[in-house]
Amino acid sequence: MAVQASESTSTSAVSLGPAAALSCRECGTRFPLGPIFACQECFGPLEVAYDLPSGDPEGLKKQIEAGPDNIWRYAPLLPVPADVADKPNLNPGFTKLVKADRLAAELGVTGGLYVKDDSGNPTHSFKDRVVAIAVEAARAFGFTTLSCSSTGNLAGAVGAAARRAGFRSCVFIPHDLEAGKVVMAAVYGGDLVGIEGNYDDVNRFCSELIGDPLGEGWGFVNVNLRPYYGEGSKTLAYEICEQLGWELPDQLVIPIASGSQLTKIDKGLKELIRLGLVEDKPYKIFGAQAEGCSPVSTAFKAGHDVVRPQKPNTIAKSLAIGNPADGPYVLDIARRTGGAVEDVNDEQVVDAIKLLARTEGIFAETAGGVTVGVTKKLIENGLIDPAKSLVVLNTGDGLKTLDAVAPTTGPTATIRPSLDSFREAGLG
């Protein structure tokens, strides 16, 4: 189904595949494709609008299935050039959808429980998806430096993608991130700058830099390239449905940082329905936050439409965004689909990391602990139907957040190198 442009739309000289324009989520005004992220009419957020293929869902399905085993199999549905697979990039995506029967047994799920494990991406988080799309926009707009504000994973993804694609990189992080994420962001050789403050302070600084001559030629993947960057999260929706045999899951649990991932997964599901690639049926989307940074969960439970900022204080630092840009849209989606937004405390996050590891052999970072912990809580509270299919997202590798589990995880025993000592430890 083609997307029709309004009379205010101008023709852009930039070609990004099926991307037709940028459209304001609030007032619908359209703008030419470019490095802008806010509506000039109402200051609402912009997102990519498309001229999507139509009329032959089975042909499109075959084209996708014949594509590469990465996100570029979905190039006809993304704001990227047709030859994107031939360009130097990290080729993220098409990660495992794990049928988690042992975890299902622990949680009492009988309708089928799956973990979408995005720790298998090149820098071990879902951020490789969004950065890959942003890189193509940066190329199209002639940027020479890639940058971002980051809680950790994005910094590493930008550093790696920039090196692969031939860009300079300079990324900004809170000064107190987990050591593993700092090292992974720095190892690629780009500039890594710690900011004294939390993520919201970092993000404000980056917004100032964009308007300064110092930022000329810089593509900030989650600021002036944000409309394109966000589209990378749609590929999670595409993959989940394709891996389920081109079916929608009944329920999904998705972590919330800025909220962009959740809103774009919903957008991807709706596109698949509109294109006839999946059969339309109701689905519920649940958002997951850490108690120490739960502005969206707090608003949802209070019945509010406005998300009030919070000062983050949680071990789940990748989700520690106190003023989430997409928070109000997350509330809309949770309510529209009949889902909910819930939170868990740090102790529950650690317990959930260990639960996933001992049942399915998946070592999740703290964000994955949040989704599994919230899933358990929602089942116990009767909000998730255990008789229906359920997909839980793990968005990163536990090796990045070892500090969360290290104090309570270690050797079962320390023994002398002898059989007698082994027996004495009661391990035989």
Side-chain angles (χ1 to χ4, degrees), residues 184-317:
M184 190 165 191
V187 74
Y188 301 108
D191 292 318
L192 177 67
V193 182
I195 301 289
E196 295 177 357
N198 59 32
Y199 173 81
D200 297 295
D201 298 315
V202 178
N203 202 40
R204 281 193 294 271
F205 169 79
C206 289
S207 297
E208 292 177 12
L209 183 55
I210 287 175
D212 190 274
L214 286 170
E216 186 176 348
W218 288 39
F220 287 79
V221 300
N222 56 343
V223 188
N224 58 352
L225 295 176
R226 186 176 181 84
Y228 313 93
Y229 158 95
E231 295 297 285
S233 289
K234 294 193 310 180
T235 61
L236 281 161
Y238 300 158
E239 289 177 20
I240 288 168
C241 291
E242 182 180 354
Q243 290 168 325
L244 288 174
W246 295 106
E247 289 187 6
L248 291 168
D250 295 315
Q251 305 164 112
L252 300 97
V253 183
I254 304 168
I256 300 170
S258 72
S260 175
Q261 183 187 72
L262 187 149
T263 63
K264 290 303 187 290
I265 287 176
D266 179 63
K267 182 180 180 181
L269 295 176
K270 291 191 293 184
E271 286 178 353
L272 293 178
I273 293 169
R274 192 164 74 248
L275 290 166
L277 295 176
V278 297
E279 183 179 349
D280 190 5
K281 71 172 186 178
Y283 59 86
K284 293 184 178 182
I285 290 183
F286 299 88
Q289 293 202 289
E291 184 180 283
C293 186
S294 55
V296 187
S297 174
T298 299
F300 181 86
K301 293 174 183 178
H304 295 160
D305 296 324
V306 176
V307 176
R308 294 184 177 180
Q310 294 181 359
K311 185 175 181 179
N313 181 23
T314 173
I315 60 171
K317 293 182 179 180

